[in-house]
Amino acid sequence: MSKSKVISTDDILATLCHSVTGVLTSASGNGISYSAMVQKITRTCMRPDIGCFVLFDGGFTGLVITNFTSQAAMEIYGDYMRNMGMPESEIAHSHLSDDVSNVLGELMNQIVGDFTSKVREQLHTSITQNQPKMMAINKQVQISVDTTMDRPQARRVTFTTSKQNIFYLELAMDKTEFIKLHDFDIAEAIDPDDIIADEAKKKADKESAKAKDVEQDDTDDDFMAGLGL
């Protein structure tokens, strides 16, 4: 009898870390990495300068918190805005700006969305999320966010931006294990943006081929006319 594969809390955390690096690297156009060493912590907290939390529920219950320093927040925000083609005049210059919180909140929403999609594909279970809450926090204020879990486990992971600025991700979730009873194929996620891009490319190639055919017909007509035919 083959040994069943067990997927633990730390495996789920690794999946979440991949979602963070994947989404933020794509959004900012710069590399985001995370430490291979993970801290076990007793509770999750929102810390200065910008914190965000999101709850998820379903196949398992959990809480995700990201804590950004002002430098890390402004680097990711600024790179994202420039990557979107925004002029410098429209980019905020303070981490206290609502625009910074809104952008980071949207990126957090994309991260957790990507994570829930991976959970559905890889673990064959479903989780739902609430809307991420992002806010600037005064240095003298620490906010603890509690959620009801039977046997909570908490972890903290350190992330580093391309300019060596630091931010942290904290995960609290039920102690749980997923046991793989038999092999199964993991369906490749379909990216709507890729579908749209492929269709646009096919259309452009078709129009280009049509234009070449018309150009060739015009050339043949001119040649025949030159022969007096």
Side-chain angles (χ1 to χ4, degrees):
M1 180 180 294
S2 61
K3 184 177 180 181
S4 300
K5 180 179 179 181
V6 176
I7 298 174
S8 67
T9 301
D10 292 329
D11 295 319
I12 295 172
L13 174 61
T15 297
L16 176 59
C17 289
H18 291 155
S19 292
V20 173
T21 56
V23 170
L24 293 186
T25 296
S26 176
S28 67
N30 290 315
I32 304 290
S33 60
Y34 65 92
S35 172
M37 299 300 293
V38 178
Q39 287 178 273
K40 286 186 177 182
I41 55 178
T42 57
R43 63 173 182 168
T44 55
C45 297
M46 294 180 66
R47 307 174 190 275
D49 293 306
I50 294 183
C52 178
F53 72 91
V54 58
L55 295 165
F56 54 84
D57 198 4
F60 53 88
T61 300
L63 167 68
V64 178
I65 291 178
T66 49
N67 291 313
F68 295 91
T69 61
S70 58
Q71 295 84 358
M74 291 306 296
E75 180 186 346
I76 293 172
Y77 161 78
D79 288 345
Y80 171 75
M81 297 296 280
R82 294 182 190 95
N83 204 27
M84 293 291 289
M86 294 293 179
E88 287 293 331
S89 59
E90 295 184 17
I91 298 178
H93 298 288
S94 171
H95 73 279
L96 299 175
S97 170
D98 289 341
D99 195 32
V100 176
S101 294
N102 291 338
V103 166
L104 292 179
E106 174 55 32
L107 291 176
M108 186 65 179
N109 192 45
Q110 293 180 30
I111 288 168
V112 181
D114 184 76
F115 171 63
T116 57
S117 177
K118 285 181 167 65
V119 166
R120 185 168 54 251
E121 295 161 7
Q122 298 173 9
L123 302 181
H124 284 198
T125 191
S126 178
I127 56 175
T128 58
Q129 69 185 79
N130 71 340
Q131 187 67 26
K133 306 295 188 298
M134 178 78 68
M135 64 189 74
I137 301 175
N138 186 282
K139 287 185 180 293
Q140 302 302 316
V141 177
Q142 187 177 70
I143 302 175
S144 296
V145 183
D146 297 321
T147 185
T148 303
M149 286 180 276
D150 294 331
R151 293 183 298 163
Q153 291 185 314
R155 303 284 189 269
R156 179 187 294 136
V157 184
T158 303
F159 287 79
T160 307
T161 68
S162 60
K163 294 181 180 178
Q164 302 304 303
N165 289 313
I166 302 297
F167 66 95
Y168 302 92
L169 178 139
E170 298 184 5
L171 169 68
M173 62 175 288
D174 282 324
K175 182 177 181 180
T176 185
E177 291 182 343
F178 286 86
I179 302 171
K180 186 177 182 180
L181 297 179
H182 59 81
D183 290 333
F184 56 83
D185 294 328
I186 298 177
E188 184 177 352
I190 299 175
D191 189 339
D193 292 338
D194 291 341
I195 295 176
I196 294 172
D198 288 342
E199 290 299 322
K201 186 177 184 302
K202 289 179 183 178
K203 184 177 180 180
D205 291 344
K206 186 176 180 180
E207 291 178 351
S208 178
K210 184 177 181 180
K212 287 182 179 179
D213 290 341
V214 171
E215 182 179 352
Q216 183 62 44
D217 290 343
D218 290 342
T219 300
D220 292 341
D221 290 342
D222 292 340
F223 178 73
M224 297 299 287
L227 294 176
L229 301 175

